[in-house]
Amino acid sequence: MPILSSYLLPIALLIGSNIFMTTAWYWHLRFKEVPILHVILISWGLALIEYCLAVPANRLGSGVYSPAQLKTIQEVVTLVIFAGFSVLYLKESFTWNQGVGFAFIAVGAYFIFHKF
């Protein structure tokens, strides 16, 4: 019996991939003294790991989700990961207008997953 179902494994992989991608894109904002070439090379390494998780997530996920649903899951996961990363790592405040914007995106996700 698999540890994660065919519905949950793609989501878990997308969460992992988004942690690496968010880190690749934004980790260096706290280290502006690091030369940009080093930042690019480190970020490429992180992005490689991200791809190694995202590609299987989409391949496996396509068996149970439509492409639009997979993309929607990825975008919602990205926003949640980014919000956490921004607050915990970058020490940015999470503002009410960001919350409202994310809520609108959540409403959009609801419509992607429900047939009327």
Side-chain angles (χ1 to χ4, degrees), residues 5-38:
S5 75
S6 56
Y7 288 92
L8 294 179
L9 182 58
I11 295 170
L13 290 169
L14 287 172
I15 290 169
S17 76
N18 274 279
I19 290 170
F20 280 98
M21 200 71 220
T22 299
T23 303
W25 285 1
Y26 299 105
W27 71 269
H28 58 90
L29 297 181
R30 286 186 39 192
F31 302 98
K32 294 187 179 178
E33 70 281 359
V34 177
I36 193 68
L37 183 58
H38 293 137

PDB file of all heavy atoms in Angstrom, residues 5-38:
ATOM      1  N   SER A   5      -1.567   8.621  -1.469  1.00  0.00           N
ATOM      2  CA  SER A   5      -2.452   8.246  -2.570  1.00  0.00           C
ATOM      3  C   SER A   5      -2.037   8.951  -3.856  1.00  0.00           C
ATOM      4  O   SER A   5      -1.249   9.899  -3.835  1.00  0.00           O
ATOM      5  CB  SER A   5      -3.894   8.613  -2.229  1.00  0.00           C
ATOM      6  OG  SER A   5      -4.094  10.019  -2.347  1.00  0.00           O
ATOM      7  N   SER A   6      -2.597   8.487  -4.961  1.00  0.00           N
ATOM      8  CA  SER A   6      -2.294   9.116  -6.248  1.00  0.00           C
ATOM      9  C   SER A   6      -2.788  10.561  -6.295  1.00  0.00           C
ATOM     10  O   SER A   6      -2.342  11.338  -7.138  1.00  0.00           O
ATOM     11  CB  SER A   6      -2.899   8.301  -7.393  1.00  0.00           C
ATOM     12  OG  SER A   6      -4.287   8.152  -7.207  1.00  0.00           O
ATOM     13  N   TYR A   7      -3.684  10.933  -5.391  1.00  0.00           N
ATOM     14  CA  TYR A   7      -4.149  12.322  -5.304  1.00  0.00           C
ATOM     15  C   TYR A   7      -3.207  13.176  -4.462  1.00  0.00           C
ATOM     16  O   TYR A   7      -3.017  14.363  -4.735  1.00  0.00           O
ATOM     17  CB  TYR A   7      -5.564  12.385  -4.715  1.00  0.00           C
ATOM     18  CG  TYR A   7      -6.623  11.888  -5.655  1.00  0.00           C
ATOM     19  CD1 TYR A   7      -7.017  10.554  -5.631  1.00  0.00           C
ATOM     20  CD2 TYR A   7      -7.213  12.735  -6.583  1.00  0.00           C
ATOM     21  CE1 TYR A   7      -7.977  10.086  -6.509  1.00  0.00           C
ATOM     22  CE2 TYR A   7      -8.181  12.278  -7.459  1.00  0.00           C
ATOM     23  CZ  TYR A   7      -8.553  10.950  -7.416  1.00  0.00           C
ATOM     24  OH  TYR A   7      -9.507  10.492  -8.295  1.00  0.00           O
ATOM     25  N   LEU A   8      -2.629  12.590  -3.411  1.00  0.00           N
ATOM     26  CA  LEU A   8      -1.799  13.376  -2.493  1.00  0.00           C
ATOM     27  C   LEU A   8      -0.332  13.442  -2.889  1.00  0.00           C
ATOM     28  O   LEU A   8       0.333  14.439  -2.614  1.00  0.00           O
ATOM     29  CB  LEU A   8      -1.922  12.813  -1.076  1.00  0.00           C
ATOM     30  CG  LEU A   8      -3.293  12.946  -0.427  1.00  0.00           C
ATOM     31  CD1 LEU A   8      -3.286  12.323   0.959  1.00  0.00           C
ATOM     32  CD2 LEU A   8      -3.716  14.400  -0.361  1.00  0.00           C
ATOM     33  N   LEU A   9       0.193  12.399  -3.522  1.00  0.00           N
ATOM     34  CA  LEU A   9       1.609  12.396  -3.895  1.00  0.00           C
ATOM     35  C   LEU A   9       1.972  13.572  -4.808  1.00  0.00           C
ATOM     36  O   LEU A   9       2.976  14.256  -4.555  1.00  0.00           O
ATOM     37  CB  LEU A   9       2.006  11.066  -4.529  1.00  0.00           C
ATOM     38  CG  LEU A   9       3.477  10.932  -4.925  1.00  0.00           C
ATOM     39  CD1 LEU A   9       4.394  11.148  -3.722  1.00  0.00           C
ATOM     40  CD2 LEU A   9       3.736   9.581  -5.567  1.00  0.00           C
ATOM     41  N   PRO A  10       1.187  13.869  -5.854  1.00  0.00           N
ATOM     42  CA  PRO A  10       1.543  15.034  -6.679  1.00  0.00           C
ATOM     43  C   PRO A  10       1.543  16.342  -5.880  1.00  0.00           C
ATOM     44  O   PRO A  10       2.400  17.206  -6.103  1.00  0.00           O
ATOM     45  CB  PRO A  10       0.460  15.061  -7.764  1.00  0.00           C
ATOM     46  CG  PRO A  10      -0.091  13.682  -7.801  1.00  0.00           C
ATOM     47  CD  PRO A  10       0.035  13.150  -6.411  1.00  0.00           C
ATOM     48  N   ILE A  11       0.620  16.468  -4.953  1.00  0.00           N
ATOM     49  CA  ILE A  11       0.573  17.686  -4.132  1.00  0.00           C
ATOM     50  C   ILE A  11       1.803  17.767  -3.242  1.00  0.00           C
ATOM     51  O   ILE A  11       2.428  18.827  -3.113  1.00  0.00           O
ATOM     52  CB  ILE A  11      -0.736  17.742  -3.328  1.00  0.00           C
ATOM     53  CG1 ILE A  11      -1.929  17.873  -4.280  1.00  0.00           C
ATOM     54  CG2 ILE A  11      -0.709  18.900  -2.329  1.00  0.00           C
ATOM     55  CD1 ILE A  11      -3.283  17.702  -3.616  1.00  0.00           C
ATOM     56  N   ALA A  12       2.195  16.648  -2.642  1.00  0.00           N
ATOM     57  CA  ALA A  12       3.396  16.632  -1.796  1.00  0.00           C
ATOM     58  C   ALA A  12       4.637  16.998  -2.613  1.00  0.00           C
ATOM     59  O   ALA A  12       5.491  17.778  -2.159  1.00  0.00           O
ATOM     60  CB  ALA A  12       3.566  15.264  -1.148  1.00  0.00           C
ATOM     61  N   LEU A  13       4.728  16.442  -3.823  1.00  0.00           N
ATOM     62  CA  LEU A  13       5.859  16.776  -4.691  1.00  0.00           C
ATOM     63  C   LEU A  13       5.841  18.253  -5.089  1.00  0.00           C
ATOM     64  O   LEU A  13       6.891  18.903  -5.157  1.00  0.00           O
ATOM     65  CB  LEU A  13       5.860  15.880  -5.933  1.00  0.00           C
ATOM     66  CG  LEU A  13       6.206  14.407  -5.690  1.00  0.00           C
ATOM     67  CD1 LEU A  13       5.915  13.573  -6.941  1.00  0.00           C
ATOM     68  CD2 LEU A  13       7.654  14.254  -5.259  1.00  0.00           C
ATOM     69  N   LEU A  14       4.664  18.795  -5.362  1.00  0.00           N
ATOM     70  CA  LEU A  14       4.560  20.217  -5.710  1.00  0.00           C
ATOM     71  C   LEU A  14       4.929  21.102  -4.529  1.00  0.00           C
ATOM     72  O   LEU A  14       5.545  22.161  -4.711  1.00  0.00           O
ATOM     73  CB  LEU A  14       3.158  20.547  -6.222  1.00  0.00           C
ATOM     74  CG  LEU A  14       2.842  20.038  -7.620  1.00  0.00           C
ATOM     75  CD1 LEU A  14       1.375  20.257  -7.954  1.00  0.00           C
ATOM     76  CD2 LEU A  14       3.743  20.702  -8.658  1.00  0.00           C
ATOM     77  N   ILE A  15       4.579  20.691  -3.334  1.00  0.00           N
ATOM     78  CA  ILE A  15       4.993  21.454  -2.144  1.00  0.00           C
ATOM     79  C   ILE A  15       6.513  21.467  -2.055  1.00  0.00           C
ATOM     80  O   ILE A  15       7.131  22.521  -1.879  1.00  0.00           O
ATOM     81  CB  ILE A  15       4.346  20.872  -0.869  1.00  0.00           C
ATOM     82  CG1 ILE A  15       2.837  21.159  -0.859  1.00  0.00           C
ATOM     83  CG2 ILE A  15       5.028  21.437   0.387  1.00  0.00           C
ATOM     84  CD1 ILE A  15       2.071  20.407   0.215  1.00  0.00           C
ATOM     85  N   GLY A  16       7.132  20.294  -2.195  1.00  0.00           N
ATOM     86  CA  GLY A  16       8.599  20.234  -2.166  1.00  0.00           C
ATOM     87  C   GLY A  16       9.235  21.062  -3.261  1.00  0.00           C
ATOM     88  O   GLY A  16      10.183  21.814  -3.029  1.00  0.00           O
ATOM     89  N   SER A  17       8.704  20.951  -4.470  1.00  0.00           N
ATOM     90  CA  SER A  17       9.285  21.708  -5.584  1.00  0.00           C
ATOM     91  C   SER A  17       9.167  23.206  -5.356  1.00  0.00           C
ATOM     92  O   SER A  17      10.091  23.962  -5.657  1.00  0.00           O
ATOM     93  CB  SER A  17       8.647  21.302  -6.914  1.00  0.00           C
ATOM     94  OG  SER A  17       7.362  21.850  -7.075  1.00  0.00           O
ATOM     95  N   ASN A  18       8.036  23.634  -4.801  1.00  0.00           N
ATOM     96  CA  ASN A  18       7.848  25.068  -4.572  1.00  0.00           C
ATOM     97  C   ASN A  18       8.721  25.603  -3.448  1.00  0.00           C
ATOM     98  O   ASN A  18       9.128  26.768  -3.483  1.00  0.00           O
ATOM     99  CB  ASN A  18       6.374  25.375  -4.315  1.00  0.00           C
ATOM    100  CG  ASN A  18       5.645  25.591  -5.611  1.00  0.00           C
ATOM    101  OD1 ASN A  18       5.708  26.658  -6.184  1.00  0.00           O
ATOM    102  ND2 ASN A  18       4.985  24.550  -6.108  1.00  0.00           N
ATOM    103  N   ILE A  19       9.026  24.778  -2.476  1.00  0.00           N
ATOM    104  CA  ILE A  19       9.972  25.201  -1.434  1.00  0.00           C
ATOM    105  C   ILE A  19      11.328  25.494  -2.083  1.00  0.00           C
ATOM    106  O   ILE A  19      11.948  26.533  -1.809  1.00  0.00           O
ATOM    107  CB  ILE A  19      10.076  24.147  -0.323  1.00  0.00           C
ATOM    108  CG1 ILE A  19       8.777  24.120   0.491  1.00  0.00           C
ATOM    109  CG2 ILE A  19      11.292  24.405   0.569  1.00  0.00           C
ATOM    110  CD1 ILE A  19       8.665  22.958   1.459  1.00  0.00           C
ATOM    111  N   PHE A  20      11.779  24.594  -2.956  1.00  0.00           N
ATOM    112  CA  PHE A  20      13.069  24.811  -3.625  1.00  0.00           C
ATOM    113  C   PHE A  20      13.024  25.994  -4.578  1.00  0.00           C
ATOM    114  O   PHE A  20      13.974  26.778  -4.654  1.00  0.00           O
ATOM    115  CB  PHE A  20      13.523  23.539  -4.346  1.00  0.00           C
ATOM    116  CG  PHE A  20      14.156  22.545  -3.420  1.00  0.00           C
ATOM    117  CD1 PHE A  20      13.418  21.490  -2.916  1.00  0.00           C
ATOM    118  CD2 PHE A  20      15.473  22.681  -3.028  1.00  0.00           C
ATOM    119  CE1 PHE A  20      13.981  20.583  -2.043  1.00  0.00           C
ATOM    120  CE2 PHE A  20      16.059  21.781  -2.150  1.00  0.00           C
ATOM    121  CZ  PHE A  20      15.305  20.720  -1.658  1.00  0.00           C
ATOM    122  N   MET A  21      11.924  26.161  -5.332  1.00  0.00           N
ATOM    123  CA  MET A  21      11.872  27.262  -6.296  1.00  0.00           C
ATOM    124  C   MET A  21      11.791  28.609  -5.600  1.00  0.00           C
ATOM    125  O   MET A  21      12.462  29.565  -6.008  1.00  0.00           O
ATOM    126  CB  MET A  21      10.671  27.089  -7.243  1.00  0.00           C
ATOM    127  CG  MET A  21      10.826  27.874  -8.515  1.00  0.00           C
ATOM    128  SD  MET A  21      12.106  27.093  -9.517  1.00  0.00           S
ATOM    129  CE  MET A  21      12.971  28.471 -10.160  1.00  0.00           C
ATOM    130  N   THR A  22      10.978  28.694  -4.566  1.00  0.00           N
ATOM    131  CA  THR A  22      10.885  29.955  -3.822  1.00  0.00           C
ATOM    132  C   THR A  22      12.248  30.299  -3.224  1.00  0.00           C
ATOM    133  O   THR A  22      12.681  31.456  -3.276  1.00  0.00           O
ATOM    134  CB  THR A  22       9.807  29.852  -2.726  1.00  0.00           C
ATOM    135  OG1 THR A  22       8.551  29.587  -3.360  1.00  0.00           O
ATOM    136  CG2 THR A  22       9.706  31.139  -1.925  1.00  0.00           C
ATOM    137  N   THR A  23      12.920  29.292  -2.687  1.00  0.00           N
ATOM    138  CA  THR A  23      14.256  29.521  -2.132  1.00  0.00           C
ATOM    139  C   THR A  23      15.214  29.966  -3.233  1.00  0.00           C
ATOM    140  O   THR A  23      15.977  30.918  -3.047  1.00  0.00           O
ATOM    141  CB  THR A  23      14.769  28.250  -1.435  1.00  0.00           C
ATOM    142  OG1 THR A  23      13.829  27.858  -0.427  1.00  0.00           O
ATOM    143  CG2 THR A  23      16.123  28.490  -0.786  1.00  0.00           C
ATOM    144  N   ALA A  24      15.154  29.310  -4.387  1.00  0.00           N
ATOM    145  CA  ALA A  24      16.042  29.678  -5.501  1.00  0.00           C
ATOM    146  C   ALA A  24      15.846  31.125  -5.921  1.00  0.00           C
ATOM    147  O   ALA A  24      16.809  31.836  -6.220  1.00  0.00           O
ATOM    148  CB  ALA A  24      15.795  28.744  -6.690  1.00  0.00           C
ATOM    149  N   TRP A  25      14.603  31.572  -5.946  1.00  0.00           N
ATOM    150  CA  TRP A  25      14.321  32.926  -6.416  1.00  0.00           C
ATOM    151  C   TRP A  25      14.605  34.006  -5.384  1.00  0.00           C
ATOM    152  O   TRP A  25      14.937  35.134  -5.745  1.00  0.00           O
ATOM    153  CB  TRP A  25      12.862  33.027  -6.845  1.00  0.00           C
ATOM    154  CG  TRP A  25      12.553  32.388  -8.152  1.00  0.00           C
ATOM    155  CD1 TRP A  25      13.402  31.715  -8.978  1.00  0.00           C
ATOM    156  CD2 TRP A  25      11.284  32.358  -8.786  1.00  0.00           C
ATOM    157  NE1 TRP A  25      12.736  31.262 -10.083  1.00  0.00           N
ATOM    158  CE2 TRP A  25      11.425  31.643  -9.994  1.00  0.00           C
ATOM    159  CE3 TRP A  25      10.036  32.849  -8.454  1.00  0.00           C
ATOM    160  CZ2 TRP A  25      10.379  31.430 -10.869  1.00  0.00           C
ATOM    161  CZ3 TRP A  25       8.990  32.626  -9.337  1.00  0.00           C
ATOM    162  CH2 TRP A  25       9.161  31.927 -10.523  1.00  0.00           C
ATOM    163  N   TYR A  26      14.456  33.686  -4.095  1.00  0.00           N
ATOM    164  CA  TYR A  26      14.459  34.763  -3.099  1.00  0.00           C
ATOM    165  C   TYR A  26      15.490  34.648  -1.983  1.00  0.00           C
ATOM    166  O   TYR A  26      15.646  35.593  -1.218  1.00  0.00           O
ATOM    167  CB  TYR A  26      13.056  34.885  -2.471  1.00  0.00           C
ATOM    168  CG  TYR A  26      11.991  35.212  -3.478  1.00  0.00           C
ATOM    169  CD1 TYR A  26      11.101  34.251  -3.918  1.00  0.00           C
ATOM    170  CD2 TYR A  26      11.895  36.496  -4.021  1.00  0.00           C
ATOM    171  CE1 TYR A  26      10.125  34.544  -4.857  1.00  0.00           C
ATOM    172  CE2 TYR A  26      10.932  36.795  -4.966  1.00  0.00           C
ATOM    173  CZ  TYR A  26      10.048  35.814  -5.375  1.00  0.00           C
ATOM    174  OH  TYR A  26       9.096  36.118  -6.310  1.00  0.00           O
ATOM    175  N   TRP A  27      16.212  33.535  -1.835  1.00  0.00           N
ATOM    176  CA  TRP A  27      17.132  33.385  -0.708  1.00  0.00           C
ATOM    177  C   TRP A  27      18.172  34.494  -0.652  1.00  0.00           C
ATOM    178  O   TRP A  27      18.544  34.970   0.413  1.00  0.00           O
ATOM    179  CB  TRP A  27      17.849  32.022  -0.750  1.00  0.00           C
ATOM    180  CG  TRP A  27      18.875  31.930  -1.864  1.00  0.00           C
ATOM    181  CD1 TRP A  27      18.673  31.486  -3.135  1.00  0.00           C
ATOM    182  CD2 TRP A  27      20.245  32.326  -1.808  1.00  0.00           C
ATOM    183  NE1 TRP A  27      19.812  31.573  -3.876  1.00  0.00           N
ATOM    184  CE2 TRP A  27      20.806  32.094  -3.082  1.00  0.00           C
ATOM    185  CE3 TRP A  27      21.061  32.855  -0.822  1.00  0.00           C
ATOM    186  CZ2 TRP A  27      22.131  32.361  -3.388  1.00  0.00           C
ATOM    187  CZ3 TRP A  27      22.388  33.129  -1.117  1.00  0.00           C
ATOM    188  CH2 TRP A  27      22.909  32.889  -2.394  1.00  0.00           C
ATOM    189  N   HIS A  28      18.622  34.919  -1.805  1.00  0.00           N
ATOM    190  CA  HIS A  28      19.730  35.867  -1.908  1.00  0.00           C
ATOM    191  C   HIS A  28      19.357  37.293  -1.492  1.00  0.00           C
ATOM    192  O   HIS A  28      20.252  38.136  -1.321  1.00  0.00           O
ATOM    193  CB  HIS A  28      20.284  35.876  -3.330  1.00  0.00           C
ATOM    194  CG  HIS A  28      19.249  36.214  -4.347  1.00  0.00           C
ATOM    195  ND1 HIS A  28      19.008  37.506  -4.743  1.00  0.00           N
ATOM    196  CD2 HIS A  28      18.391  35.420  -5.025  1.00  0.00           C
ATOM    197  CE1 HIS A  28      18.035  37.498  -5.636  1.00  0.00           C
ATOM    198  NE2 HIS A  28      17.640  36.236  -5.828  1.00  0.00           N
ATOM    199  N   LEU A  29      18.081  37.582  -1.316  1.00  0.00           N
ATOM    200  CA  LEU A  29      17.692  38.940  -0.929  1.00  0.00           C
ATOM    201  C   LEU A  29      18.230  39.321   0.449  1.00  0.00           C
ATOM    202  O   LEU A  29      18.352  40.504   0.750  1.00  0.00           O
ATOM    203  CB  LEU A  29      16.169  39.090  -0.973  1.00  0.00           C
ATOM    204  CG  LEU A  29      15.541  38.911  -2.363  1.00  0.00           C
ATOM    205  CD1 LEU A  29      14.031  39.099  -2.279  1.00  0.00           C
ATOM    206  CD2 LEU A  29      16.163  39.861  -3.372  1.00  0.00           C
ATOM    207  N   ARG A  30      18.562  38.333   1.261  1.00  0.00           N
ATOM    208  CA  ARG A  30      19.184  38.606   2.563  1.00  0.00           C
ATOM    209  C   ARG A  30      20.708  38.632   2.468  1.00  0.00           C
ATOM    210  O   ARG A  30      21.378  38.929   3.458  1.00  0.00           O
ATOM    211  CB  ARG A  30      18.758  37.544   3.582  1.00  0.00           C
ATOM    212  CG  ARG A  30      17.327  37.747   4.023  1.00  0.00           C
ATOM    213  CD  ARG A  30      16.871  36.850   5.121  1.00  0.00           C
ATOM    214  NE  ARG A  30      17.844  36.578   6.163  1.00  0.00           N
ATOM    215  CZ  ARG A  30      17.703  35.636   7.081  1.00  0.00           C
ATOM    216  NH1 ARG A  30      16.615  34.891   7.090  1.00  0.00           N
ATOM    217  NH2 ARG A  30      18.621  35.434   7.988  1.00  0.00           N
ATOM    218  N   PHE A  31      21.259  38.319   1.300  1.00  0.00           N
ATOM    219  CA  PHE A  31      22.706  38.232   1.129  1.00  0.00           C
ATOM    220  C   PHE A  31      23.143  39.010  -0.103  1.00  0.00           C
ATOM    221  O   PHE A  31      23.693  38.453  -1.051  1.00  0.00           O
ATOM    222  CB  PHE A  31      23.139  36.765   1.017  1.00  0.00           C
ATOM    223  CG  PHE A  31      22.753  35.937   2.196  1.00  0.00           C
ATOM    224  CD1 PHE A  31      21.610  35.155   2.168  1.00  0.00           C
ATOM    225  CD2 PHE A  31      23.520  35.969   3.350  1.00  0.00           C
ATOM    226  CE1 PHE A  31      21.241  34.396   3.264  1.00  0.00           C
ATOM    227  CE2 PHE A  31      23.160  35.213   4.456  1.00  0.00           C
ATOM    228  CZ  PHE A  31      22.020  34.425   4.416  1.00  0.00           C
ATOM    229  N   LYS A  32      22.894  40.308  -0.075  1.00  0.00           N
ATOM    230  CA  LYS A  32      23.174  41.130  -1.256  1.00  0.00           C
ATOM    231  C   LYS A  32      24.672  41.303  -1.521  1.00  0.00           C
ATOM    232  O   LYS A  32      25.057  41.759  -2.595  1.00  0.00           O
ATOM    233  CB  LYS A  32      22.472  42.477  -1.118  1.00  0.00           C
ATOM    234  CG  LYS A  32      20.965  42.266  -1.150  1.00  0.00           C
ATOM    235  CD  LYS A  32      20.190  43.526  -1.189  1.00  0.00           C
ATOM    236  CE  LYS A  32      18.723  43.144  -1.232  1.00  0.00           C
ATOM    237  NZ  LYS A  32      17.825  44.200  -1.222  1.00  0.00           N
ATOM    238  N   GLU A  33      25.492  40.906  -0.552  1.00  0.00           N
ATOM    239  CA  GLU A  33      26.937  40.984  -0.748  1.00  0.00           C
ATOM    240  C   GLU A  33      27.472  39.819  -1.587  1.00  0.00           C
ATOM    241  O   GLU A  33      28.595  39.865  -2.084  1.00  0.00           O
ATOM    242  CB  GLU A  33      27.668  41.031   0.605  1.00  0.00           C
ATOM    243  CG  GLU A  33      27.625  39.743   1.413  1.00  0.00           C
ATOM    244  CD  GLU A  33      26.328  39.483   2.168  1.00  0.00           C
ATOM    245  OE1 GLU A  33      25.390  40.302   2.111  1.00  0.00           O
ATOM    246  OE2 GLU A  33      26.243  38.429   2.814  1.00  0.00           O
ATOM    247  N   VAL A  34      26.683  38.777  -1.775  1.00  0.00           N
ATOM    248  CA  VAL A  34      27.095  37.631  -2.579  1.00  0.00           C
ATOM    249  C   VAL A  34      27.079  38.045  -4.051  1.00  0.00           C
ATOM    250  O   VAL A  34      26.084  38.598  -4.533  1.00  0.00           O
ATOM    251  CB  VAL A  34      26.151  36.421  -2.340  1.00  0.00           C
ATOM    252  CG1 VAL A  34      26.539  35.255  -3.245  1.00  0.00           C
ATOM    253  CG2 VAL A  34      26.175  36.003  -0.875  1.00  0.00           C
ATOM    254  N   PRO A  35      28.173  37.807  -4.761  1.00  0.00           N
ATOM    255  CA  PRO A  35      28.222  38.188  -6.181  1.00  0.00           C
ATOM    256  C   PRO A  35      27.095  37.524  -6.974  1.00  0.00           C
ATOM    257  O   PRO A  35      26.741  36.369  -6.736  1.00  0.00           O
ATOM    258  CB  PRO A  35      29.588  37.679  -6.648  1.00  0.00           C
ATOM    259  CG  PRO A  35      30.403  37.558  -5.397  1.00  0.00           C
ATOM    260  CD  PRO A  35      29.431  37.210  -4.304  1.00  0.00           C
ATOM    261  N   ILE A  36      26.563  38.253  -7.926  1.00  0.00           N
ATOM    262  CA  ILE A  36      25.400  37.785  -8.681  1.00  0.00           C
ATOM    263  C   ILE A  36      25.671  36.470  -9.406  1.00  0.00           C
ATOM    264  O   ILE A  36      24.782  35.620  -9.501  1.00  0.00           O
ATOM    265  CB  ILE A  36      24.876  38.885  -9.653  1.00  0.00           C
ATOM    266  CG1 ILE A  36      23.482  38.505 -10.196  1.00  0.00           C
ATOM    267  CG2 ILE A  36      25.852  39.134 -10.777  1.00  0.00           C
ATOM    268  CD1 ILE A  36      22.395  38.522  -9.173  1.00  0.00           C
ATOM    269  N   LEU A  37      26.882  36.256  -9.901  1.00  0.00           N
ATOM    270  CA  LEU A  37      27.190  34.989 -10.573  1.00  0.00           C
ATOM    271  C   LEU A  37      27.048  33.820  -9.597  1.00  0.00           C
ATOM    272  O   LEU A  37      26.505  32.770  -9.951  1.00  0.00           O
ATOM    273  CB  LEU A  37      28.590  35.018 -11.183  1.00  0.00           C
ATOM    274  CG  LEU A  37      28.979  33.756 -11.961  1.00  0.00           C
ATOM    275  CD1 LEU A  37      27.993  33.473 -13.092  1.00  0.00           C
ATOM    276  CD2 LEU A  37      30.392  33.866 -12.492  1.00  0.00           C
ATOM    277  N   HIS A  38      27.494  33.988  -8.362  1.00  0.00           N
ATOM    278  CA  HIS A  38      27.341  32.939  -7.343  1.00  0.00           C
ATOM    279  C   HIS A  38      25.856  32.710  -7.040  1.00  0.00           C
ATOM    280  O   HIS A  38      25.419  31.560  -6.882  1.00  0.00           O
ATOM    281  CB  HIS A  38      28.093  33.297  -6.066  1.00  0.00           C
ATOM    282  CG  HIS A  38      29.564  33.311  -6.232  1.00  0.00           C
ATOM    283  ND1 HIS A  38      30.361  34.302  -5.706  1.00  0.00           N
ATOM    284  CD2 HIS A  38      30.407  32.461  -6.887  1.00  0.00           C
ATOM    285  CE1 HIS A  38      31.618  34.073  -6.011  1.00  0.00           C
ATOM    286  NE2 HIS A  38      31.669  32.966  -6.737  1.00  0.00           N
TER     287      HIS A  38
END
